[in-house]
Amino acid sequence: MSIVVSDQQEQTTRESNVFSDDAFRKRIATVDEQGKRKWVYPQNPKGAYHRARAVVAGFLVILFFSGPWITINGHPLLLMNLMERRFAILGVPFWPQDAIYLAIAFICMVVFLLLFTVVWGRLWCGWACPQTIFLEMVFRKIEYLFEGGPAKQRRLKTKKWNREKLLRKGGKWTAFFIVSFAVANTFLAYFVGTEGFLDRVSLDPRHHTADFIGVIGFTAFFYFIFAWFREQACTLLCPYARLQGVLLDNDSVAVTYDFTRGEERMAARKSKNYADAGDCIDCFSCVKVCPTGIDIRDGIQLECVNCTACMDACDSVMDKYNRPRGLIRYASHNMVKDGSKFRFTPRVIGYMIIFAALLIVFSALLLTRSDVDTTILRTPGQLYQEADEGATIQNLFNLKALNKTYDAMPLYLELIEPQGGEIQIVGTDLHINAEGILEQAFFVKLPRDILDPLKTKILIEVSNGDKVLETVKTTFLGPASP
Ligand code: SF4
Ligand code: SF4
């Protein structure tokens, strides 16, 4: 008797073979049944994806270390001086008064990350996250250099302390410390600027104890994260990783095992004598290279940082067996299951619309951002004064201006409304220093006959001679019945 199995039934069977045993979902791959940490010894990945990632990582690491020293028109690429409340992004200075821009930029970034994650899963984690880049492309490479591959690392761990072990471990730990120290110092340079950084470096640490302790503390933190905590940071600490369960769906593209092509695994065929073996030969190459210790063939898991190591490993196996590459590839669950192409789901379109709207708002705000932040208030405790035998009424105002640019400039005040009045500066002409704050008193004088009872609305234009910086509305106080 022969049993006819439809394509769909067969596919469902294949899918359930992969996902039915969900023991791997009950605990993370790096923790054993007793709850103890299982140390991961991944193989050094090789292949096209790894080479591409190495190029991207190299660029980003160089950018990170050189960032504080890169200037645009003489101004820092990125400065986050929290103590002095001075910030710069792409050479443009920002102030605490610009919090609205930073808030909207942050919201844009979050929405972009949501959109990006819904479409592309954890692409960020694999290609651009500093944790993955430093761990896999810097610290792990140092480890391979000093201790060799996974087998050698295991042997070295169990070996008694001798000269070789001391040199290998000592060399690795020293290199780890140097990189951690360099990372901590680079962060300091981002926070205090290069001038502040060079000042501190040239001084005895006793003259800047807090900074020195901060750098040592950060060095210890980075050392701990990269030398010991490692992939646990991605699995247990990173909030972005925890969001994956909410953000990813069956249409999200991620590093995915093609179970329709891979199952039944060849090893299973040997034992069960299946006629139609899949392409997976159950060689575990994809598992051996995984830095988070998982088997991607179990499906998308919390631990997977989309590092592509398993894709490279499987591609090289497929090459050897003359099978097409891409048994593990960037694809969504639905793309694998139905053989369909990527599609824009209503959820993705929704995020795109929100992101586009936010970008428009952000761009409009940036384009209309004033170089000078001005506040004009009537001097407290002052009413109006009469001049010219009562024909003119004058109010004393206080101007507070913050120059958000790196250039000093003159300031001019002009009374736009109502017409017929004038502004008289108390003291010299107005001039504001680069990144400076100017406080100045001035009078507004209005003819009595154009005043409204009690309060008259006035409009003052602030300019630097070339362009209007701001137009400020305020009120002018006069007699109850002018
Ligand atoms: S590397 Fe490819 S062939 Fe080998 S076990 Fe993994 S999926 Fe199967
Ligand atoms: S499953 Fe593959 S992509 Fe995911 S972390 Fe492991 S090796 Fe990297």
Side-chain angles (χ1 to χ4, degrees):
M1 187 180 72
S2 66
I3 300 170
V4 180
V5 181
S6 73
D7 282 354
Q8 195 175 352
Q9 276 174 311
E10 186 187 329
Q11 181 164 298
T12 311
T13 312
R14 287 179 174 198
E15 198 178 345
S16 62
N17 281 345
V18 181
F19 302 115
S20 60
D21 175 14
D22 65 350
F24 64 93
R25 296 197 191 277
K26 292 180 183 145
R27 62 172 183 274
I28 57 173
T30 48
V31 171
D32 67 15
E33 282 174 11
Q34 280 74 45
K36 279 199 183 139
R37 168 97 176 264
K38 282 201 275 179
W39 194 261
V40 183
Y41 295 93
Q43 273 176 356
N44 195 358
K46 289 187 186 76
Y49 286 103
H50 186 70
R51 282 195 297 277
R53 280 182 62 230
V55 170
V56 174
F59 170 75
L60 291 175
V61 168
I62 291 171
L63 184 67
F64 169 75
F65 282 119
S66 56
W69 309 94
I70 299 175
T71 55
I72 298 176
N73 298 327
H75 309 304
L77 178 78
L78 182 65
L79 173 70
M80 306 298 282
N81 193 336
L82 297 171
M83 304 300 281
E84 293 171 21
R85 303 201 296 170
R86 290 173 60 221
F87 308 92
I89 301 170
L90 297 175
V92 178
F94 283 87
W95 293 79
Q97 285 83 347
D98 291 319
I100 179 74
Y101 301 97
L102 297 179
I104 294 185
F106 180 73
I107 295 170
C108 282
M109 215 176 70
V110 169
V111 173
F112 177 72
L113 215 56
L114 294 181
L115 169 66
F116 192 80
T117 309
V118 169
V119 178
W120 278 104
R122 295 177 75 170
L123 199 70
W124 156 265
C125 302
W127 290 79
C129 174
Q131 163 74 15
T132 312
I133 286 180
F134 271 102
L135 177 57
E136 300 307 332
M137 296 295 181
V138 181
F139 284 82
R140 194 87 74 185
K141 300 298 178 201
I142 292 172
E143 196 159 68
Y144 292 134
L145 187 70
F146 282 95
E147 297 188 0
K152 285 186 179 166
Q153 286 178 27
R154 280 197 183 89
R155 271 203 302 279
L156 192 68
K157 191 177 180 185
T158 50
K159 222 177 183 180
K160 280 200 171 145
W161 281 99
N162 58 13
R163 189 168 172 274
E164 188 206 353
K165 183 166 177 173
L166 200 64
L167 283 176
R168 288 188 184 279
K169 289 277 182 195
K172 181 183 89 168
W173 291 335
T174 308
F176 278 6
F177 176 80
I178 290 170
V179 178
S180 303
F181 189 64
V183 172
N185 274 285
T186 305
F187 270 113
L188 178 68
Y190 277 114
F191 282 120
V192 299
T194 44
E195 280 176 23
F197 174 74
L198 291 175
D199 279 351
R200 284 161 175 83
V201 170
S202 58
L203 283 174
D204 185 322
R206 282 170 297 183
H207 291 123
H208 52 93
T209 326
D211 292 325
F212 183 70
I213 292 173
V215 166
I216 295 300
F218 270 108
T219 303
F221 175 73
F222 293 130
Y223 189 97
F224 166 76
I225 290 286
F226 294 116
W228 189 80
F229 203 53
R230 298 195 161 186
E231 75 289 337
Q232 302 297 311
C234 306
T235 311
L236 305 177
L237 285 190
C238 178
Y240 182 56
R242 315 300 293 187
L243 276 176
Q244 302 303 311
V246 183
L247 297 175
L248 295 191
D249 59 22
N250 284 345
D251 288 302
S252 304
V253 175
V255 174
T256 304
Y257 166 66
D258 186 341
F259 51 84
T260 61
R261 214 188 106 187
E263 303 296 311
E264 292 284 339
R265 295 171 197 174
M266 205 178 274
R269 184 196 63 160
K270 277 179 190 159
S271 58
K272 295 178 188 171
N273 200 23
Y274 283 168
D276 57 339
D279 279 353
C280 175
I281 60 162
D282 219 10
C283 64
F284 282 86
S285 294
C286 52
V287 182
K288 287 179 204 155
V289 288
C290 179
T292 62
I294 62 171
D295 186 341
I296 192 63
R297 295 172 301 166
D298 289 332
I300 292 178
Q301 292 151 72
L302 168 75
E303 297 97 315
C304 177
V305 291
N306 275 226
C307 72
T308 70
C310 54
M311 290 163 58
D312 276 330
C314 190
D315 278 351
S316 75
V317 174
M318 293 297 106
D319 288 350
K320 277 185 205 139
Y321 284 80
N322 286 327
R323 304 298 305 159
R325 290 180 160 205
L327 180 57
I328 302 174
R329 63 178 184 275
Y330 281 120
S332 72
H333 182 82
N334 282 344
M335 284 159 78
V336 165
K337 192 166 155 235
D338 311 328
S340 57
K341 289 210 160 31
F342 173 76
R343 66 191 183 95
F344 286 95
T345 59
R347 189 175 173 213
V348 171
I349 294 168
Y351 279 128
M352 285 170 84
I353 292 170
I354 295 172
F355 180 59
L358 278 168
L359 262 193
I360 291 169
V361 171
F362 185 57
S363 310
L365 276 174
L366 270 190
L367 288 174
T368 54
R369 178 179 180 259
S370 170
D371 288 345
V372 175
D373 197 69
T374 320
T375 315
I376 294 177
L377 293 172
R378 231 182 17 258
T379 307
Q382 297 269 343
L383 290 175
Y384 60 89
Q385 296 153 19
E386 295 185 355
D388 304 333
E389 297 175 350
T392 303
I393 304 293
Q394 63 184 34
N395 279 192
L396 184 61
F397 285 87
N398 279 329
L399 163 82
K400 188 169 181 183
L402 164 71
N403 184 355
K404 296 183 192 168
T405 71
Y406 293 118
D407 303 310
M409 63 178 87
L411 280 189
Y412 302 98
L413 303 182
E414 190 180 343
L415 186 66
I416 305 294
E417 281 178 21
Q419 293 189 347
E422 63 165 320
I423 287 178
Q424 186 186 355
I425 308 291
V426 177
T428 55
D429 288 344
L430 302 183
H431 185 89
I432 187 164
N433 292 330
E435 297 183 89
I437 293 175
L438 172 74
E439 292 194 53
Q440 182 77 42
F442 65 92
F443 283 106
V444 174
K445 296 182 172 184
L446 295 180
R448 178 186 281 263
D449 54 11
I450 64 167
L451 293 181
D452 292 330
L454 279 178
K455 278 183 183 173
T456 304
K457 287 191 178 134
I458 62 172
L459 206 59
I460 297 172
E461 190 179 87
V462 184
S463 73
N464 62 5
D466 293 330
K467 70 172 181 181
V468 175
L469 301 168
E470 277 201 306
T471 308
V472 184
K473 273 185 193 167
T474 184
T475 53
F476 183 95
L477 214 58
S481 51

